[in-house]
Amino acid sequence: MDRENAGRELAELTLVERSRANAPSGVTVVSVCITCKTADGAIVVGPDMFESVKAAIGESDRNVQVRPVQCLSVCKRPATVAVSSSDGYTFLFGDLQTESGTAALVSFVQSYQKSDYGLVPWRERADVLRKGMVARVPPLRWSPDDGSAPK
């Protein structure tokens, strides 16, 4: 193999992405709590987070819906956001700051849509989401007898 062809072959290999047979289908829903307040209750931070996430994801991806919700009951860890789909895991994150949280969520949603059952590997999650993890809930349609992840 010569250098010229080796570079071309490498470029072709990096363009191929492994297809996930069990990636969530349909719409990925990003639910942003709009009633979240700072720990002292002085400032409502939820609406800013919602507007930032909505602007970042925008209308560019019809497979993502950003919606405001009234309280996700994680009041001690504002701002709180859930990412879910009808046949994927639901992730609940807290302690998100508008700027860093928005960027992390955009990246997470992209990985979520490509991952089996939306189960984004730990190493693909931004540090702010690793630290802010509140819950990971399995898909509703899932019921393996031993409770292990579907294969």
Side-chain angles (χ1 to χ4, degrees):
M1 175 187 313
D2 60 19
R3 286 184 180 183
E4 184 178 318
N5 289 332
R8 187 177 316 126
E9 289 175 13
L10 180 60
E12 290 171 6
L13 287 175
T14 58
L15 295 176
V16 175
E17 185 173 306
R18 191 177 135 209
S19 170
R20 300 288 185 155
N22 296 309
S25 60
V27 176
T28 299
V29 179
V30 180
S31 301
V32 182
C33 177
I34 59 169
T35 56
C36 278
K37 298 177 184 176
T38 55
D40 62 4
I43 302 170
V44 180
V45 294
D48 288 341
M49 177 61 82
F50 170 70
E51 291 301 329
S52 180
V53 172
K54 186 175 179 182
I57 293 176
E59 305 293 322
S60 62
D61 189 344
R62 292 178 297 192
N63 291 318
V64 180
Q65 175 192 5
V66 180
R67 66 179 182 171
V69 294
Q70 298 285 324
C71 193
L72 289 169
S73 292
V74 189
C75 301
K76 293 185 180 202
R77 298 185 67 184
T80 306
V81 176
V83 177
S84 59
S85 64
S86 62
D87 56 353
Y89 275 87
T90 295
F91 286 86
L92 184 60
F93 301 106
D95 299 322
L96 299 178
Q97 301 296 314
T98 301
E99 189 174 309
S100 60
T102 298
L105 286 165
V106 169
S107 175
F108 181 84
V109 166
Q110 292 169 346
S111 292
Y112 182 93
Q113 292 173 310
K114 297 173 189 171
S115 300
D116 284 338
Y117 302 96
L119 186 55
V120 177
W122 185 257
R123 69 185 176 281
E124 289 183 30
R125 300 178 203 166
D127 192 48
V128 68
L129 298 182
R130 291 177 188 175
K131 291 178 181 176
M133 174 69 76
V134 174
R136 179 183 88 182
V137 182
L140 289 175
R141 67 177 176 86
W142 168 356
S143 63
D145 293 336
D146 66 355
S148 64
K151 297 183 177 34

